[in-house]
Amino acid sequence: MALRALFFANRSARRLLALVIFFGGWQFLCNIGFSFFVNFQLIPSPLQVLKATLTFFTTDPWVHFRSSIQRVMIGYAVASCLGIILGVLAGWFEKVEDLLMPPLELLRPIPAVAWIPLAILMFPNAESGMVYITFVGAFFPVLISTIRGVESILSDTVLIRVGQCLGARSWHIFKDIVLPGSLPSIASGLTIGMGNAWFCLVTAEILAGRYGIGYITWESYVTSNYPPIVMGMLLIGLMGAISSWAVNRTMAALMPWRVIKKQDA
């Protein structure tokens, strides 16, 4: 009973329990060779992935981490700056939205892998093409979330009228009401954009040919070396989770008034 009480009272313990169940269930399905619609007979078990990870860390892994992090962060930084600026302008000015959105809506559904041929043609080297693909992954979530955030505040006519009644001019309404009110939506877009940038990493590093976690994942697939494939996937997921956590913490510091209180199940 004490152990049960600990797990259900402590949030960190609950999250640890979820990971234990996930990896334990995965190991169990591999051990019994589960095969019913989903085939676990060829899937590397967590222990095989752990062994591949230990072997990977005995080489020189930091060159791969450094290459991947650099590509994602440059693409994400450019996408965030451009997405927020254009999103605010499109949300605030109708004419900007009319001129901006039709071509961007046409480009938005294109998957990252479809950009590879054009990235090769557009940029002078593979490194620029890889940064561009991570940029594409991050840009559209930031842009759309920013536009929706600005529009949601503008649609709150009571809030805008209160500002006008207090003598606020257009610039002050934008600076003191619309922009702070849009921050939660912008934060959501930045978090999703960060995840998408890591999501596009494998696609981007197909262009690389030498370094990067995504490149290791792709190379292992080509050579049918299965444990490093899962290792690369989990490392990308881990780095994406850490990056998203950092974005969330930063945005939470910018929005001290936004307190989230969830109900217990």
Side-chain angles (χ1 to χ4, degrees):
M1 290 296 290
L3 185 62
R4 181 174 179 273
L6 171 67
F7 273 121
F8 285 95
N10 188 295
R11 193 172 186 186
S12 298
R14 287 200 299 267
R15 296 187 173 201
L16 179 63
L17 176 63
L19 287 176
V20 170
I21 292 173
F22 172 74
F23 285 106
W26 174 10
Q27 182 70 46
F28 173 74
L29 293 173
C30 291
N31 286 346
I32 65 172
F34 180 83
S35 179
F36 180 72
F37 188 69
V38 178
N39 185 5
F40 276 81
Q41 292 176 344
L42 295 177
I43 301 296
S45 69
L47 291 178
Q48 290 174 309
V49 175
L50 177 62
K51 184 178 178 182
T53 305
L54 295 176
T55 304
F56 172 65
F57 275 89
T58 59
T59 60
D60 184 14
W62 307 117
V63 65
H64 298 290
F65 281 109
R66 187 170 57 247
S67 300
S68 294
I69 291 171
Q70 180 176 302
R71 288 160 190 153
V72 168
M73 290 304 151
I74 293 174
Y76 177 75
V78 176
S80 299
C81 293
L82 198 59
I84 291 174
I85 292 171
L86 293 180
V88 168
L89 291 175
W92 183 252
F93 296 108
E94 187 180 72
K95 290 178 181 176
V96 174
E97 184 181 19
D98 293 340
L99 292 173
L100 186 67
M101 292 313 293
L104 290 181
E105 286 291 352
L106 185 67
L107 298 176
R108 188 162 66 97
I110 299 175
V113 68
W115 283 102
I116 290 179
L118 276 185
I120 294 172
L121 295 174
M122 285 193 298
F123 296 99
N125 53 55
E127 193 64 36
S128 303
M130 288 183 283
V131 171
Y132 174 72
I133 289 176
T134 60
F135 162 83
V136 169
F139 174 69
F140 290 107
V142 176
L143 175 73
I144 300 300
S145 297
T146 304
I147 293 174
R148 297 294 172 258
V150 173
E151 289 178 343
S152 69
I153 300 301
L154 290 176
S155 67
D156 189 342
T157 53
V158 175
L159 194 61
I160 300 299
R161 283 179 184 173
V162 168
Q164 291 171 336
C165 290
L166 293 173
R169 295 179 179 275
S170 181
W171 163 246
H172 292 101
I173 289 175
F174 172 77
K175 180 173 68 72
D176 297 328
I177 298 176
V178 174
L179 206 53
S182 305
L183 279 179
S185 295
I186 295 174
S188 298
L190 289 172
T191 304
I192 297 170
M194 176 60 81
N196 278 10
W198 284 104
F199 178 78
C200 293
L201 185 66
V202 176
T203 302
E205 292 185 343
I206 289 175
L207 292 170
R210 293 193 68 185
Y211 302 116
I213 303 300
Y215 166 70
I216 291 173
T217 307
W218 176 251
E219 183 193 38
S220 302
Y221 166 72
V222 172
T223 57
S224 301
N225 190 9
Y226 300 129
I229 295 176
V230 183
M231 178 201 73
M233 292 167 62
L234 293 178
L235 288 177
I236 290 172
L238 179 63
M239 289 191 290
I242 293 172
S243 304
S244 296
W245 175 82
V247 171
N248 281 329
R249 297 295 295 178
T250 303
M251 294 307 295
L254 295 174
M255 299 181 292
W257 67 89
R258 190 166 181 255
V259 178
I260 298 175
K261 176 73 174 173
K262 295 186 179 180
Q263 298 295 319
D264 290 332

